[in-house]
Amino acid sequence: MFGLHYNLERSAVGLVAFIVLVASIGGLIEIAPLFTIDETVEEAPDMRVYTPLEVAGRNIYIREGCYACHSQMIRTLRDEVERYGPYSLAVESSYDHPQLWGSKRTGPDLARLGNKYSDAWHTIHLNNPRDVVPESKMPAYRWLLRAQLHTDDLGEHLAALRAVGVPYTDEQIANAPLDAYGQANPDSAAAGGVAKRYGDATNIRLFDGEATRLTDMDALVAYLQVLGNLTDAAHQPQPEAE
Amino acid sequence: MIADLTRAERLWAMLILGALGLIGLAMAIGGRNDLLGIHGWIVLAAGLGGFIAVMRGLDAPEPSAERLNEYYDAPTRVGLILTLLWAVVGMGVGFWVAALLAWPDMTFDVPWLSFGRLRPVHTSGVIFGFGGNALIATSFHVLQRTTRARLPDQISPWFVLLGYNLFCIIAASGYLMGLTQSKEYAEPEWYADIWLVVVWVVYFAIYMRTLARRKEPHIYVANWYYMAFILVVAILHIVNNLAVPISLGSAKSYSLFSGVQDAMTQWWYGHNAVAFFLTAGFLGMMYYYLPKRAGRPIFSYRMSIISFWGITFMYMWAGSHHLHYTALPHWVQTLGMAFSVVLLVPSWASAGNALLTLNGAWHKVRDDAVLRFMALAAIFYGITTFEGSFMAIRAVNSLSHYTDWTIGHVHAGALGWVAMITFGSLYSIVPSMFRRERIYSQKLVEVHFWLALSGTVIYVFAMWNSGVIQGLMWRTYTESGGLTYSFIDSLVAMHPYYIARAFGGLLFLLGALTALYNVVMTIRMPAPAADDAALDIPAKPALQAGE
């Protein structure tokens, strides 16, 4: 064996080929089957897609690096299920490009945050967390209420998401900026189209409490309120947590 | 640096920099309504600035043919300084974000000063800025000495070094503006990722072209590691960053994979960024600089073979231990755990090989802080790889995951192993690289050593404590069967440890500043009359292909 190696280390091309071969095996065996084995991702016929406003909010969540301190993955452990709710299923993040499972809980898990607190609580909390949780270590995101949300390219966002596999319709893509506005302005004419295109379960509310304009706060709160609510699959009977 | 280039190379450099400037202009125009435009201006400034600098030196005298009798070390010299500058940036931001966790109101209502945007500046600044520059600078140095061949030309090493730093600047400035893919350690957006692939192909080509002209029949073990680092990082980087941009005029992209497949790909990448960026490359460094400084041959050639192929094969299976008890299928978790545990064998073979090499030279470890840096690095490598295998066990992971224990583990590796082996290697070549008789102050190296060690120990112990307390509080039940602590209770319990962690980080940062000062003062010392570095030359005049 060491004799063979004696020859291998005299050949640069041989070393390169062998390194690539040896290093490729693990990934191929662990990743490729995840795309082909059907059991990997559960069936969820009721699965909804994110609305344009929720997509925009998700992008703000990414922009501000929220994932560095908050996970969105409840593990199959008894204490986690009791603290946060039913453990996360693969299907729940199947429209998440990329997933935001996270790796660290400086703050709590957010996988089942949706509709747990009021919109007003979220708006106050994001504006300055210590106004509602005095011991909090989260930064105050005061600029979210000041920033006007960019909606003009939301159609392109939805089209790109469709290119990677999220089933958006042409109609949803064409009306994306309008639907973003409508979802945060329930009394406007645009609100009806949102329910029609995204289902009656969609939250159509004044997320930041103001009807006048669409802010980054509207989008982020809309996203936080849909977390865990795209499908009911996790609330169906599942094997018990360890 | 321009004086080193031949006239043909200067013209090539102008062509490349001009093209870069045009790409920057296209980005600035196409992305004028997007943050991409700002990056366009940065790229344009880099291309144009470089173009003008080369143009002004175009008619300077050409380098003499004598240069082919020497190794080409100018890129290594610049790389060493960039390494130290990024160390100060990355560790400085690290100290700052640590302080933000203790005193969150220091965000001052400025978006780019918030924790979420600064945190990737810290991680990328240290891993890619500090670590990456150290790897590029030392790999050029080691490659030439172990092959006894000069680098193939004068332009491609600069392309790699400076192009790589352009990537780092685009990455860090992007995070501050909120541009991130959110995939840990793969945060830069699609255009930065494409640029890194271009740089990486040239880097690989330098390696192969130099090896092709080697005067040593055998390729030394340090080069296996540097090659594995270059090759596997390329594979990981390309697969994990597959994404569809929303338009060519926008910085934003959506990753090709989603959910569980994306999570597995991400941690296959993430764990092997640790394995092939932060381990393989730095093992290459260790295998050259530690025996050289100790004046002892590597203890066992066979152990180095076993550990090299063990690491190359097994690490690639281990990523799924980041996803224990998640929605990832159980069989993948189990495979990841099993390989992570077995990984201890090649890891300890490497650490043991390094420490056994020091047998007969332990008096030097006592007297020489430079060698002591490297010896300590090998010890921390052993500790951290043991801890890693331990934490990959599902039952242990159920406690440690999502807590500060992970942060402690990472820093035992990053501070104790990566930074210590880098500082040791750096101190050992700075005098010869800059043609000085010695380092400016051996005392300051000693000060740096103790700052680094005490900083690491304080940091790691703080995070071990906070992590284990956190994990236990989350799973503590009252007698009546309810959870004892709210989440906020566990956060309040972390406060003293977060202050201790920031203090440990500050000590380590002060050490890095000491190193920067010491190196700058070394460069400013007068050059010795006789040029001792002349002994450090290739075996025979190195003929250049195509010259």
Side-chain angles (χ1 to χ4, degrees), chain A residues 93-111:
Chain A
S93 51
S94 55
Y95 293 154
D96 286 12
H97 294 264
Q99 44 70 38
L100 295 170
W101 291 12
S103 61
K104 178 70 174 55
R105 285 181 188 152
T106 304
D109 187 276
L110 302 182

Side-chain angles (χ1 to χ4, degrees), chain B residues 106-168:
Chain B
M106 293 198 299
T107 304
F108 307 120
D109 200 17
V110 179
W112 58 268
L113 275 181
S114 63
F115 179 89
R117 296 201 194 180
L118 284 177
R119 189 253 186 187
V121 178
H122 161 57
T123 53
S124 289
V126 170
I127 299 171
F128 300 115
F130 169 64
N133 273 300
L135 288 171
I136 291 173
T138 58
S139 69
F140 288 160
H141 180 259
V142 171
L143 175 64
Q144 296 182 90
R145 268 73 188 176
T146 52
T147 57
R148 291 197 289 160
R150 183 183 159 94
L151 292 177
D153 60 62
Q154 281 83 229
I155 187 169
S156 55
W158 290 115
F159 180 83
V160 170
L161 183 71
L162 302 178
Y164 180 78
N165 278 278
L166 179 62
F167 165 80
C168 292

Side-chain angles (χ1 to χ4, degrees), chain B residues 41-42 66 70 130 189 202 230 239 241 249 295 332 363 370 381 401 404 432 440 465 478 480 493 520:
Chain B
W41 290 112
I42 294 177
E66 291 286 296
E70 291 179 10
F130 169 64
E189 273 291 356
V202 178
I230 296 169
V239 175
N241 284 303
V332 194
H363 60 288
V370 176
Y381 179 63
H401 193 56
D404 287 321
S432 69
Y440 167 70
N465 275 309
T478 58
S480 54
V520 168

Side-chain angles (χ1 to χ4, degrees), chain B residues 117-397:
Chain B
R117 296 201 194 180
L118 284 177
R119 189 253 186 187
V121 178
H122 161 57
T123 53
S124 289
V126 170
I127 299 171
F128 300 115
F130 169 64
N133 273 300
L135 288 171
I136 291 173
T138 58
S139 69
F140 288 160
H141 180 259
V142 171
L143 175 64
Q144 296 182 90
R145 268 73 188 176
T146 52
T147 57
R148 291 197 289 160
R150 183 183 159 94
L151 292 177
D153 60 62
Q154 281 83 229
I155 187 169
S156 55
W158 290 115
F159 180 83
V160 170
L161 183 71
L162 302 178
Y164 180 78
N165 278 278
L166 179 62
F167 165 80
C168 292
I169 288 168
I170 293 287
S173 59
Y175 307 151
L176 294 178
M177 298 188 287
L179 293 180
T180 168
Q181 294 188 117
S182 83
K183 302 180 81 158
E184 279 182 89
Y185 323 119
E187 290 98 344
E189 273 291 356
W190 59 277
Y191 50 95
D193 291 335
I194 293 172
W195 173 243
L196 185 62
V197 172
V198 174
V199 169
W200 222 245
V201 169
V202 178
Y203 190 17
F204 178 63
I206 290 177
Y207 239 83
M208 295 307 281
R209 288 161 70 204
T210 308
L211 284 173
R213 293 170 24 258
R214 68 186 184 275
K215 314 272 182 322
E216 286 288 335
H218 281 270
I219 299 171
Y220 181 61
V221 51
N223 291 322
W224 313 346
Y225 280 106
Y226 280 121
M227 283 162 79
F229 146 64
I230 296 169
L231 285 166
V232 182
V233 165
I235 296 172
L236 297 164
H237 173 76
I238 291 169
V239 175
N240 192 43
N241 284 303
L242 291 173
V244 175
I246 67 163
S247 78
L248 290 179
S250 171
K252 175 70 188 172
S253 68
Y254 288 98
S255 70
L256 184 59
F257 306 141
S258 69
V260 63
Q261 294 91 356
D262 181 58
M264 183 58 222
T265 308
Q266 158 59 24
W267 288 109
W268 167 79
Y269 167 90
H271 194 71
N272 289 297
V274 174
F276 290 89
F277 209 99
L278 297 177
T279 304
F282 291 88
L283 281 171
M285 220 182 263
M286 184 191 81
Y287 269 107
Y288 181 78
Y289 294 107
L290 184 139
K292 193 97 166 70
R293 186 78 182 186
R296 309 277 310 169
I298 280 289
F299 170 74
S300 164
Y301 164 70
R302 293 187 173 192
M303 261 166 91
S304 65
I305 293 176
I306 291 169
S307 55
F308 175 75
W309 291 107
I311 284 172
T312 306
F313 176 64
M314 285 191 277
Y315 249 114
M316 298 298 266
W317 297 73
S320 52
H321 71 225
H322 288 254
L323 300 168
H324 280 326
Y325 299 99
T326 67
L328 181 75
H330 203 282
W331 65 268
V332 194
Q333 299 178 23
T334 308
L335 271 178
M337 171 172 79
F339 276 93
S340 303
V341 172
V342 186
L343 249 179
L344 189 59
V345 175
S347 300
W348 273 25
S350 292
N353 212 356
L355 292 172
L356 291 166
T357 299
L358 292 172
N359 272 348
W362 287 102
H363 60 288
K364 292 185 187 168
V365 176
R366 186 190 59 204
D367 298 337
D368 176 12
V370 176
L371 187 58
R372 210 181 312 130
F373 261 115
M374 297 195 241
L376 191 72
I379 292 170
F380 266 105
Y381 179 63
I383 295 172
T384 310
T385 48
F386 172 79
E387 188 188 23
S389 296
F390 183 62
M391 290 169 80
I393 297 168
R394 291 181 94 232
V396 180
N397 196 268

